[in-house]
Each structure stands twice: as structure tokens, then as C-alpha cells.
Amino acid sequence: MGHYNVVLPWACKIIGTRRTVYTHTQRYNHFCSLSMNGCQTRDPTTPVGITETRTFPSVSTPAMAMERLSSAITELGSDPPVFRSGILRLEVPIDQQMEAIDWLRGQQQFQHLPRCFFSGRRQRRINGSPSPSNSLFDYDTLSPLSVAGLGSAVFFRHFTPFSLHHWRSIKRFLSKKCSLIRAYGAIRFDALANISSEWEAFGSFYFIIPQVEFNEFEGSSMLVTTIAWDESLSWTFGEAVHALEATMRQVSSNIVKLRKEVPNTSILSSNNVPSKKLWDFGVNRALQMINKHNSPLTKVVLARSSIITTSPDIDPLTWLATLQVEGENAYQFCLQPPDAPSFIGNTPEQLFHRNSIDIYSEAMAGTRARGDSKALDLQIALELLSSSKDDKEFSIVRECIRRKLESVCTTILVEPEKTIRKLPRVQHLYARLRGRLRSEDDEFDILSSLHPTPAVCGFPTEEARLLIAETEMFDRGMYAGPVGWFGGGESEFAVGIRSALVEKELGALIYAGTGIVEGSNSSQEWEELELKTSQFTKLMKLEVVTRDTKKAMLSEM
């Protein structure tokens, strides 16, 4: 079994050729005309000349915020800063809470610009700060509930693996004193694997500091513009202002309230990669290697890609909004480079959260469905807690994360050691870990060490990665990779599972994986994949159509 290039119709079929490797001339060179690529800096250890946040008095509507920001941008253009490089954030609070995803849905005309959305699990107030209620509130002490971004003041993308140089290139634009200037993005699961066509625009990693942002807080909102420039990267302050003005002329102040449900949608085609037969073969081969005498491999996570096309078309943001119904205590995200598919997800799994030198992570493994009654739900949870197979899988994950944290932390606490984490459709074994870093500069080490965790790769990591590369017939891309944001004094990343790559009018690739350990059964693991994928399909009430109905639908398109 080898690597194949997955193409959506876009494709809806698997082409039996090796994954495509792209030349530099094919790699979305038009990005450079939209903003600057911060990864091209020669000296990432030198911060930009100025980092500043300017907060204006609060207003009552997004339209008023737009007007205030447009005036401020015009004033800046006539009085530019003296610095050769810098980043400037202009923000206008809005005295009502509106959902960031609804604002982003109102910007549908911007398919040629990058978009991002990130919603954390909960709001975290610093030092017991109250909810914002007036224009004098210091928003830098508060983390938004969700952030939607449009355009890129600066982007970071490369086709080599994410490195210390790349991390420093991002951090030079960030500052503790401007904590809401953040770089949002994702990193590939396996940077050593060839990039297939559907993931080409993302590179090995892709991050943006948005040009225009909408921040949702508890009780209020905020409209933001960011200007970044660096003359050493051939991107002047004047060019940055001109690009922002061009974007702002098209930004809509309309808030398009998204329904948390989607009208009945019918599947025109559906195909699992691998098929059930090939899945059984792959799982049994993995079990043979795990059970082999003196084999170091104890766990491997194998994944599946489900390719679907529907009628009517799937809109990525509408789909993501429906996932929020199931997103209690989960992360929602959307990342879309210019003229590219959207990577969306609703993941329950945290990779790490860093606040200064405090670091938090989680171990999660083992999956069961929720019960239809409290009694059945409890029975299922107790069965999961007592399962030796699931305990083995979970212990591998927890102890691996503990060891990796110990390598960069002075203290480690695991509490609870093992409990049940309940989500709307499924429940998992769960542990919470926290520690204190020796230095904030250890952030890159913690990211590169924790990813990939045994929960999405296996153990030992390299043996499991190689087996995945030999077995899986598609490119995972950013699926199961780190998804989140870097900030000056704080960063947070989730694991990009329960996710899909969606192209409006073309279809979707839905990803799911499951851990294979001694005692695993390929049919039971397949059922687990179906359960995990169901949060996408069941929520949308997808129904497989008959051949005659499908033919009629296609004739109308």
C-alpha cells in the first residue's frame, strides 16, 4: 500500500499515482502581492522596530467601528512612523456582543483573501478582570471568546518543516505589551511527507496575522485592523496601508446570523479511503508488527478520509456553525489560504496552552458512544474505565506527554490521572497535565516535542510515523497537526482532529483516526471511525440519495 494523490472533483476518486511534489514556481507566488511572507527574514532574532496597539473609544455598531477605523488609517497614511519595520494594531470596541463567525460569514466576497476563525473553549480573565463594560477597559487583559480574521497583515508559510527559525520569524512581530496581536494557523501532521494537491496552499505550515479582525468578548465585541511592514522584506509602510485600504473598502459591516442547523442535504457521492477491505488489511498488518517479538511499536493511529459531494453545496462556515452546537468545551477553527479549500474542525483535544511560563496539556484516548439514558451512559463510561485495551492505549498517551513535559519543565502535576471526558456524541479517557517551563523561550521546544502525540500518531513516534506513511493512502495535511495561535506572552494549540477540508461547490474530505494497540479489532475500529465522522454527517442530516434521484440532481446542476 502506498501514498496516493487525493483529488476532489476536485475528485471523488483516488488517482493511482504517487503524491505530487510541487516546484517553487507552482507554489502560489501570488501570495507575495497580498502581503509579506515573514519567513523570508534573514535575522528573525531582531524584533520589528515598533509594536503598538491603539484603542479608540467604544461605539455601538460595526458600521460606526468601520468608519472610525477608516479615518484612523487615512490619518496614518499622511503621518507614517519613522521605523523601517513594525506592526500596529488599531481596535474599536463595540458595545454589544456579536459572534465572530457571523461577521466572517458576511465577508463571503473575499474568496481571494485568506480567512481564519478560532474559538477557544472558554474565556480566561487575567487576575480576575471583570467583563468589559466601558471604553476604558484594558482589552489586553482579556482573551477573546472567538476571533475571525480576513486578509493577512503578514503571513508565514514555507515548504520545509516548521523550525526554530520559522518560530522566531513569527515571534518577532509579537509582544507581551500587545497581547492580542496573534498569529493564527496550523502545522502539517507530517512535514516530511510529500504535499498533495488539495493541501498545496497550506505549505508545511501556514500562519497569518489578519489584516482585519472581529473579536468576540463576553458582553462586547471589537473590530480591528493591523498594519505590518518590513522594508527588508520589500514591504513598506505605505504599501501595507494601501493594501489595508483596498481591503477595508470591501469589508461589510453586516452581521449574517448563521443558523445552528442546516437544511436537509443529500449526498451525491461518498467514498472512504481506505475502503473497509483495505482498512482491515492495514489494521491487521499493524497488529502483526505490534505483536512481533521484540517489536518496539506498541501503538499506531491509522486514519481514514471520507470524500463526499452534496446537494446543496456545503458552505464551510455554515458547517462550522452547526458544529458549534456540539462544541461544548471544544475548539472550533477555520483556516483558508487565498483561493484554497477551508480546513475546518471541532476538536476536543488540547495540545498545549502556555501562559507565561505555565504550561497545560491533556491526554485523551479511548472512545465510546454516549448512552441514550443516564443509566446507560454511566454503564458505558464504567466499561470504558475498566477496559484493559483502552487503558493501555490511554496510558501510552499520558505517560508520553508526561515525559515530554518533564524535559522542559521544572515541575509536573498530573491531575486527574484518569477520568471520563464527556462530549455530546462520544466520551473518552482523559487526564490533565500542567507544569512550569524553565523559560518562555522553551515554547518552540514544547511544540516540537509534544507534536505528534501518541493520541494521533502512536508510540514510539518515529516507528509509528513510518508505518502511517507506508499504510495510509492519502495525505493527512493539517489533519491531526497543531492548530491554534502564537501570542507575545501566551499561546494555545489544539490537535486538528474531528476536521474536514471543504471546498464550496466541490465537496469535502472528512478525516478521522483511531488507535491500534494489542487487542484491537479492525471492525470495531471502523465503527469508531463512523462514530467520530458522524458529528459532521448526522448533524447535517445527510442522506444517501438513490441512483435515479442523484441522476436528476446532477442534470439540474
Side-chain angles (χ1 to χ4, degrees):
M1 299 173 71
H3 300 300
Y4 288 73
N5 186 28
V6 178
V7 185
L8 285 178
W10 224 5
C12 283
K13 63 180 179 179
I14 304 303
I15 299 177
T17 58
R18 297 283 294 181
R19 294 179 188 166
T20 305
V21 182
Y22 290 87
T23 65
H24 289 285
T25 57
Q26 293 174 294
R27 289 177 173 174
Y28 283 69
N29 288 328
H30 67 273
F31 270 65
C32 296
S33 65
L34 301 175
S35 66
M36 60 179 168
N37 186 346
C39 290
Q40 294 174 350
T41 183
R42 294 184 178 180
D43 183 13
T45 61
T46 302
V48 294
I50 181 174
T51 306
E52 183 181 348
T53 296
R54 299 182 186 179
T55 306
F56 297 93
S58 63
V59 296
S60 57
T61 67
M64 295 175 67
M66 281 283 297
E67 183 178 349
R68 184 66 191 91
L69 286 173
S70 296
S71 298
I73 294 166
T74 301
E75 293 169 8
L76 277 173
S78 60
D79 185 22
V82 298
F83 299 94
R84 292 174 56 85
S85 64
I87 186 164
L88 178 59
R89 175 183 167 99
L90 309 176
E91 55 187 33
V92 179
I94 303 170
D95 294 329
Q96 55 178 313
Q97 182 177 347
M98 290 169 281
E99 292 190 43
I101 196 171
D102 292 341
W103 175 85
L104 190 59
R105 183 66 175 82
Q107 317 303 322
Q108 288 292 81
Q109 70 273 29
F110 286 103
Q111 295 300 316
H112 63 289
L113 290 179
R115 299 190 298 175
C116 69
F117 173 81
F118 189 83
S119 176
R121 287 171 167 175
R122 63 185 68 86
Q123 184 183 36
R124 287 178 301 279
R125 296 188 178 90
I126 300 173
N127 298 325
S129 301
S131 295
S133 58
N134 60 68
S135 60
L136 299 178
F137 183 81
D138 182 6
Y139 278 86
D140 273 345
T141 65
L142 196 67
S143 190
L145 296 174
S146 61
V147 173
L150 182 68
S152 60
V154 53
F155 71 93
F156 308 88
R157 188 188 69 146
H158 209 278
F159 285 82
T160 58
F162 189 71
S163 67
L164 181 61
H165 174 95
H166 300 135
W167 176 77
R168 286 173 172 165
S169 297
I170 295 173
K171 297 294 282 190
R172 69 186 290 258
F173 285 91
L174 308 177
S175 168
K176 285 184 180 180
K177 69 177 183 178
C178 301
S179 63
L180 293 185
I181 297 179
R182 297 172 174 178
Y184 298 89
I187 302 172
R188 282 177 62 83
F189 168 78
D190 186 357
L192 299 179
N194 293 333
I195 300 175
S196 59
S197 58
E198 69 270 22
W199 288 106
E200 180 197 0
F202 293 82
S204 287
F205 59 90
Y206 180 65
F207 287 87
I208 62 170
I209 298 178
Q211 261 186 328
V212 186
E213 282 183 35
F214 194 92
N215 296 178
E216 177 192 356
F217 296 92
E218 187 70 47
S220 70
S221 307
M222 180 184 287
L223 191 64
V224 179
T225 59
T226 301
I227 303 166
W229 71 100
D230 188 342
E231 293 181 11
S232 70
L233 297 177
S234 301
W235 188 251
T236 67
F237 179 80
E239 288 174 312
V241 170
H242 179 74
L244 177 57
E245 287 176 331
T247 300
M248 288 291 284
R249 282 193 292 267
Q250 302 176 69
V251 170
S252 171
S253 58
N254 292 333
I255 303 295
V256 180
K257 191 67 178 176
L258 288 168
R259 297 174 59 189
K260 301 304 182 185
E261 59 183 24
V262 177
N264 285 338
T265 304
S266 300
I267 295 176
L268 298 183
S269 63
S270 177
N271 183 33
N272 291 318
V273 180
S275 64
K276 177 61 166 62
K277 182 178 180 180
L278 290 176
W279 171 262
D280 291 341
F281 178 83
V283 170
N284 291 332
R285 179 170 177 265
L287 287 171
Q288 289 176 1
M289 297 187 66
I290 290 171
N291 296 327
K292 189 183 299 182
H293 182 64
N294 292 330
S295 171
L297 187 68
T298 57
K299 175 183 178 180
V300 64
V301 178
L302 297 180
R304 184 184 76 182
S305 171
S306 299
I307 309 170
I308 66 169
T309 55
T310 67
S311 178
D313 298 326
I314 297 172
D315 175 71
L317 293 180
T318 302
W319 206 354
L320 187 59
T322 66
L323 292 175
Q324 288 183 321
V325 175
E326 301 214 342
E328 182 181 351
N329 209 23
Y331 299 93
Q332 288 86 40
F333 61 85
C334 173
L335 186 64
Q336 182 179 18
D339 299 312
S342 297
F343 180 46
I344 68 170
N346 182 70
T347 173
E349 190 166 342
Q350 181 187 78
L351 183 63
F352 76 89
H353 169 220
R354 179 188 69 84
N355 190 347
S356 186
I357 62 171
D358 293 322
I359 191 86
Y360 305 87
S361 188
E362 297 173 346
M364 199 163 67
T367 304
R368 294 291 189 280
R370 296 295 304 273
D372 293 333
S373 65
K374 286 185 177 180
L376 181 58
D377 199 51
L378 177 60
Q379 179 182 337
I380 294 172
L382 292 175
E383 189 275 327
L384 177 57
L385 281 169
S386 61
S387 166
S388 59
K389 178 263 181 186
D390 290 287
D391 181 71
K392 179 183 297 183
E393 180 183 349
F394 172 71
S395 297
I396 290 171
V397 175
R398 183 190 60 210
E399 294 311 305
C400 180
I401 295 174
R402 187 207 300 262
R403 286 192 297 271
K404 290 179 176 180
L405 288 176
E406 286 173 345
S407 67
V408 292
C409 290
T410 56
T411 59
I412 296 291
L413 177 65
V414 183
E415 188 178 15
E417 289 267 348
K418 178 180 170 182
T419 189
I420 293 290
R421 169 90 181 275
K422 292 183 181 290
L423 300 169
R425 289 189 186 276
V426 295
Q427 47 192 323
H428 305 282
L429 295 175
Y430 171 84
R432 179 121 173 114
L433 302 91
R434 65 178 182 177
R436 290 183 69 84
L437 296 172
R438 297 185 181 95
S439 165
E440 290 189 42
D441 291 337
D442 290 332
E443 179 179 71
F444 173 76
D445 292 332
I446 207 72
L447 173 61
S448 56
S449 176
L450 284 178
H451 173 72
T453 71
V456 294
C457 182
F459 187 81
T461 301
E462 186 58 18
E463 284 82 353
R465 187 192 68 81
L466 289 173
L467 181 56
I468 290 169
E470 294 171 2
T471 305
E472 291 184 355
M473 303 170 64
F474 62 93
D475 178 14
R476 288 193 181 191
M478 269 61 180
Y479 163 69
V483 180
W485 53 270
F486 291 111
E490 185 180 7
S491 300
E492 185 165 22
F493 281 83
V495 181
I497 57 173
R498 317 292 159 84
S499 55
L501 192 66
V502 185
E503 180 76 34
K504 190 178 180 182
E505 300 179 357
L506 293 174
L509 292 165
I510 304 174
Y511 301 96
T514 181
I516 309 302
V517 297
E518 183 182 359
S520 292
N521 177 278
S522 63
S523 293
Q524 291 176 355
E525 303 301 336
W526 183 267
E527 289 303 313
E528 183 173 322
L529 296 177
E530 294 287 292
L531 181 62
K532 290 175 177 177
T533 303
S534 70
Q535 73 163 322
F536 283 92
T537 55
K538 286 186 178 179
L539 197 60
M540 292 189 69
K541 305 173 184 176
L542 299 178
E543 299 173 359
V544 178
V545 299
T546 64
R547 180 174 299 178
D548 292 340
T549 305
K550 176 180 173 181
K551 186 175 180 180
M553 286 180 173
L554 288 171
S555 66
E556 295 173 0
M557 295 178 67

